């Protein structure tokens, strides 16, 4: 994976935190990154060139008016005021190449000096085993801090660890061996057709590959999730963006230049779900 900088731009060495989406149902992670890029006034510093992401091109996603500046599949943004870098992924990974993509991305992230990676992803509401909507949308997490995926700080924030992460389970062991590039013991090699079984569902998702490969590089990784269904996923995007800010101790109301609004609606949202969101609700 090669980083191609914008003319006259470079990666800020003081930005030790990276936020990126894992593609999933409703594109919530991508929408949340859009919201963070727009609201922090993050500056595009370049793009990442990889053969593992499908090519695509579009108009400027952030505006305030479309000016013909092309948007590419994998872009890097820097918010120096908040000491963080954001990567936006606009197209899927080539089928069957998720592990290769995650390994390449992990190599780049480790080489760029990042210390903490925050992965934003949605999960299919139809697979939620213990539904509890008594307190509204819930934030779940997965952390590399402890071997079982727990993190004391995330617990203090009132979030629950993703119960489907079971590092001693065969499917997660298999993914970990792939991420680390180790020889795979015969005892954890999946049988023919076994990859289609329920045990392998969560380890097969993009967030799992990113988590495992970034963790294998010794990086601190925190995945944030919310369950959702396909439809208008803008409220879910606000929820994940708020969670990322809470994790990193950032206050959206302090983002520079946003006036009385905490959030800036990305220009591209105008044509995704009809008229812009009613900001009085947030």
């Amino acid at each position: 994976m090669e980083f191609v900088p914008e003319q006259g731009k470079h990666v800020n060495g003081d930005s030790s935190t990276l936020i990126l989406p894992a593609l999933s149902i409703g594109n919530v992670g991508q929408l949340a990154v859009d919201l963070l890029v727009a609201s922090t006034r993050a500056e595009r510093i370049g793009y990442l060139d990889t053969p593992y992401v499908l090519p695509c091109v579009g108009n400027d996603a952030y505006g305030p008016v479309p000016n013909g500046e092309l948007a590419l599949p994998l872009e890097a943004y820097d918010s120096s005021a908040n000491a963080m870098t954001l990567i936006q992924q606009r197209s899927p990974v080539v089928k069957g190449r998720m592990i290769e993509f995650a390994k390449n991305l992990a190599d780049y992230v480790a080489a760029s000096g990042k210390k903490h990676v925050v992965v934003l992803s949605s999960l299919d509401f139809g697979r939620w085993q213990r539904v509890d909507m008594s307190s509204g949308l819930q934030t779940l997490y997965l952390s590399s801090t402890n071997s079982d995926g727990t993190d004391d700080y995330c617990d203090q924030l009132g979030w629950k660890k993703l119960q489907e992460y079971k590092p001693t389970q065969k499917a997660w062991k298999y993914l970990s061996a792939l991420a680390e590039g180790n020889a795979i013991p015969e005892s954890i090699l999946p049988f023919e057709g076994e990859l289609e079984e329920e045990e392998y569902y969560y380890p097969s998702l993009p967030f799992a590959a990113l988590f495992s490969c970034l963790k294998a590089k010794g990086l601190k990784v925190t995945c944030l999730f919310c369950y959702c269904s396909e439809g208008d996923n803008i409220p879910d995007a606000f929820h994940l963006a708020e969670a990322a800010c809470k994790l990193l101790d950032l206050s959206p109301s302090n983002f520079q230049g946003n006036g009385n609004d905490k959030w800036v609606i990305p220009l591209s949202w105008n044509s995704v779900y009809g008229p812009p969101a009613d900001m009085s609700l947030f």
Side-chain angles (χ1 to χ4, degrees):
M1 183 174 291
E2 179 185 3
F3 174 71
V4 182
E6 294 263 322
Q7 187 172 4
K9 306 287 179 64
H10 63 279
V11 177
N12 184 356
D14 295 329
S15 297
S16 61
T17 300
L18 171 66
I19 300 178
L20 72 156
L23 273 60
S24 188
I25 186 168
N27 302 316
V28 176
Q30 293 160 289
L31 291 170
V33 170
D34 266 348
L35 192 58
L36 288 165
V37 169
S39 300
T40 60
R41 314 286 180 175
E43 176 186 40
R44 187 169 77 170
I45 55 174
Y47 66 91
L48 295 165
D49 187 24
T50 172
Y52 301 123
V53 173
L54 294 174
C56 74
V57 67
N59 204 348
D60 177 30
Y62 302 109
V65 294
N67 57 13
E69 186 172 315
L70 297 181
L72 299 172
L74 210 56
E75 297 180 322
Y77 293 82
D78 185 74
S79 175
S80 56
N82 299 289
M84 68 180 180
T85 301
L86 304 101
I87 288 179
Q88 179 60 293
Q89 183 181 343
R90 303 189 184 281
S91 64
V93 173
V94 175
K95 186 176 180 180
R97 297 291 188 172
M98 188 62 216
I99 294 295
E100 290 93 333
F101 168 71
K103 281 184 175 181
N104 272 244
L105 184 62
D107 287 340
Y108 165 74
V109 173
S112 65
K114 302 303 179 190
K115 305 299 182 186
H116 187 191
V117 184
V118 181
V119 180
L120 306 180
S121 180
S122 49
L123 299 170
D124 187 353
F125 188 89
R127 289 181 175 268
W128 197 357
Q129 299 296 316
R130 302 174 185 174
V131 179
D132 178 10
M133 298 297 289
S134 59
S135 57
L137 283 173
Q138 289 193 9
T139 303
L140 294 95
Y141 78 90
L142 175 61
S143 173
S144 65
T145 301
N146 298 313
S147 61
D148 63 354
T150 59
D151 183 285
D152 290 343
Y153 181 62
C154 291
D155 291 336
Q156 291 170 18
L157 292 174
W159 301 339
K160 296 180 180 179
K161 194 210 86 172
L162 182 69
Q163 293 301 310
E164 286 75 11
Y165 178 68
K166 301 172 182 177
T168 59
Q169 195 177 57
K170 180 178 176 181
W172 287 103
K173 283 185 174 181
Y174 176 61
L175 176 60
S176 180
L178 289 175
E180 294 170 3
N182 296 334
I184 301 175
E186 190 172 339
S187 61
I188 63 172
L189 278 172
F191 301 113
E192 184 177 353
E194 192 176 7
L195 291 175
E196 305 302 319
E197 294 183 3
E198 185 69 21
E199 176 185 336
Y200 285 85
Y201 174 72
Y202 281 91
S204 72
L205 295 178
F207 85 81
L210 291 170
F211 175 78
S212 298
C213 291
L214 290 163
K215 180 183 176 185
K217 284 291 179 181
L219 296 163
K220 179 181 179 181
V221 192
T222 307
C223 298
L224 300 180
F225 311 98
C226 66
Y227 278 97
C228 71
S229 302
E230 290 283 2
D232 183 352
N233 297 109
I234 284 178
D236 305 302
F238 276 102
H239 178 77
L240 271 191
E242 290 269 13
C245 289
K246 188 179 291 188
L247 176 71
L248 300 174
D249 198 24
L250 299 174
S251 174
S253 58
N254 292 334
F255 289 156
Q256 54 184 351
N258 294 351
N260 295 324
D261 294 325
K262 291 196 300 182
W263 298 105
V264 173
I265 301 299
L267 174 69
S268 58
W269 285 20
N270 292 346
S271 57
V272 175
Y273 296 122
D278 183 356
M279 294 306 295
S280 67
L281 301 176
F282 300 96

